[in-house]
Amino acid sequence: AQSVTQPDIHITVSEGASLELRCNYSYGATPYLFWYVQSPGQGLQLLLKYFSGDTLVQGIKGFEAEFKRSQSSFNLRKPSVHWSDAAEYFCAVPSSGGYNKLIFGAGTRLAVHP
Amino acid sequence: NAGVMQNPRHLVRRRGQEARLRCSPMKGHSHVYWYRQLPEEGLKFMVYLQKENIIDESGMPKERFSAEFPKEGPSILRIQQVVRGDSAAYFCASSADGTTNEKLFFGSGTQLSVL
């Protein structure tokens, strides 16, 4: 069965520092992979997605993620974090069925120190 | 073009009461999904509906929970005889079609608190 693991529950970084949020997945075939961000009191916003092709995916707000099949990972990165990036980040894969029934990881809460 | 609209934003109910959560999808979207987020957890799929049809309700609790998406009007998630364990954030999402590569748009959620 498909599953997603986000090993880090909380991460704190200083503004301007680089960021990497980890995501490991279990999926039967070539996966579709998503990263969403949830700001306080808000719904989820899609940051980026991987379907096929180039394993380095560019997203909004300066984020990128790299699909590594050998490691079953899809880690999210940003070279320089801004205070406004403080939020909760969710990695997701689709469940079986071929439609938008997503399985989310438990999330990583990012705090940014000035 | 308004996004996915959910109301109310906050809903307080006493144990045993009914909760009705409403979701208006984005204009032109006929596919609606409901997810539940328990404290300190990720979102969990509940139900997928198209207009007047329930496509997949595999994530819905077997009792007290129901969902509809009528031909006219918003989608409704209904919870009867609420219990404290129903306290959670309930998110609605919509898409133009149901395929995985079609972008999913989320509402801001309804925070249900059961006293």
Side-chain angles (χ1 to χ4, degrees), chain A residues 9-10 32 34 36 38 41-46 49 51 88 90 94-107 109, chain B residues 9 33 35 37 40-45 48 55-56 58-59 89 91 95 97-109:
Chain A
I9 298 174
H10 296 278
Y32 291 179
F34 304 85
Y36 283 84
Q38 183 181 28
Q42 301 296 316
L44 275 70
Q45 181 181 21
L46 181 66
K49 61 186 179 185
F51 285 166
E88 190 148 21
F90 294 95
S95 179
S96 58
Y99 48 83
N100 266 318
K101 178 181 176 180
L102 298 179
I103 298 171
F104 286 88
R109 188 174 300 276
Chain B
R9 287 297 305 272
Y33 303 78
Y35 287 82
Q37 185 178 29
E40 306 299 322
E41 294 187 18
L43 279 72
K44 297 287 196 296
F45 169 82
Y48 164 38
I55 307 302
D56 182 345
S58 59
F91 289 94
S95 64
D97 70 34
T99 59
T100 308
N101 59 353
E102 185 65 28
K103 188 175 178 179
L104 206 55
F105 292 83
F106 281 84
S108 298

Side-chain angles (χ1 to χ4, degrees), chain B residues 64-76:
Chain B
R64 301 187 297 108
F65 284 72
S66 62
E68 63 177 10
F69 188 18
K71 186 176 180 180
E72 301 291 338
S75 175
I76 305 289

